[in-house]
Amino acid sequence: MADNLVLGRGKLFFTPYAPNTTTGGVKGYFGNTPQLNLAQTNTKLDHYSSEGGLKTKDKSILLQTDVSLTFDTDNIDVGNLILFFGGLATGTAPADAPTNLGALVVIGKQNAIYGAMMFESDNPVGDNMNYWFPYVMLAPTGTFALKGDAWQTLNFMADCLKRDSATERMYGYKPTTGNASAATADTTAPFTPAGAAVAAGGTAPGP
């Protein structure tokens, strides 16, 4: 039987949860995501026998497991900027804010943003595999190059959390019809400013 060699492609979506909720919300599309990586790290407690000679490991238990996602998007729209800067605060800018810059659309509130994340694969080579993460904390990471000789990207990380005792941190799905991709038929729109601001409890002060 031939190996399943995979060249990964697909679409990444996020459903922001309103404050103090862990379900519901409106699914939004990040746009093009050149990189998406999943990392699992384990913390162990080892025991060693020191009864004679070299110590030898005779027991190892798993104390902690962490699952996280890191990704970047080059779709620099207002919805993604709101998520990057921690939601959108209601209200207006201070009295000394510049008046010649245009309409105010993003206010960096730096709130923690929680929601569900979904990846729909559309691989040119290899079997498609879709993933759902029911409860993540989304946060910016790395640098946002306001100037440079490369396309701007917004870099994010998402800690995959356990929502409740009945829900696991990750679920993987195989297409039910051949190797059909769910991504090709998914026309979910990018985040609107109001949709992106839900998780911070804010609404867009601008258009």
Side-chain angles (χ1 to χ4, degrees):
M1 184 175 180
D3 293 339
N4 179 38
L5 303 178
V6 177
L7 180 61
R9 297 287 188 271
K11 295 180 179 179
L12 186 64
F13 305 88
F14 182 61
T15 303
Y17 294 152
N20 304 314
T21 67
T22 56
T23 58
V26 178
K27 177 182 171 185
Y29 177 43
F30 280 106
N32 186 48
T33 47
Q35 296 287 334
L36 172 63
N37 299 290
L38 185 150
Q40 294 194 89
T41 57
N42 299 318
T43 302
K44 301 185 300 177
L45 176 63
D46 296 328
H47 180 269
Y48 293 85
S49 171
S50 55
E51 293 181 337
L54 294 174
K55 293 195 298 184
T56 56
K57 186 189 298 187
D58 58 7
K59 193 173 186 64
S60 183
I61 63 171
L62 199 59
L63 289 179
Q64 175 180 322
T65 63
D66 296 297
V67 179
S68 62
L69 299 165
T70 55
F71 63 95
D72 55 58
T73 178
D74 53 18
N75 178 28
I76 314 298
D77 69 358
V78 172
N80 284 343
L81 286 169
I82 289 169
L83 294 174
F84 186 81
F85 287 110
L88 195 72
T90 56
T92 59
D96 61 342
T99 58
N100 63 334
L101 296 184
L104 179 64
V105 293
V106 179
I107 300 176
K109 193 174 182 180
Q110 303 304 328
N111 272 16
I113 294 179
Y114 297 87
M117 192 159 288
M118 182 185 299
F119 175 65
E120 298 174 359
S121 65
D122 188 9
N123 301 327
V125 178
D127 293 346
N128 286 317
M129 190 78 179
N130 305 313
Y131 296 92
W132 177 50
F133 305 88
Y135 192 46
V136 305
M137 185 188 74
L138 184 71
T141 185
T143 58
F144 176 32
L146 298 181
K147 285 183 62 176
D149 293 324
W151 302 114
Q152 284 187 340
T153 60
L154 298 171
N155 304 294
F156 291 90
M157 63 85 62
D159 272 332
C160 303
L161 309 174
K162 190 167 174 61
R163 186 172 67 183
D164 52 50
S165 60
T167 309
E168 300 302 333
R169 291 177 293 183
M170 184 278 293
Y171 295 84
Y173 297 83
K174 290 282 288 181
T176 55
T177 305
N179 196 38
S181 170
T184 57
D186 195 325
T187 58
T188 300
F191 299 99
T192 64
V198 164
T203 56

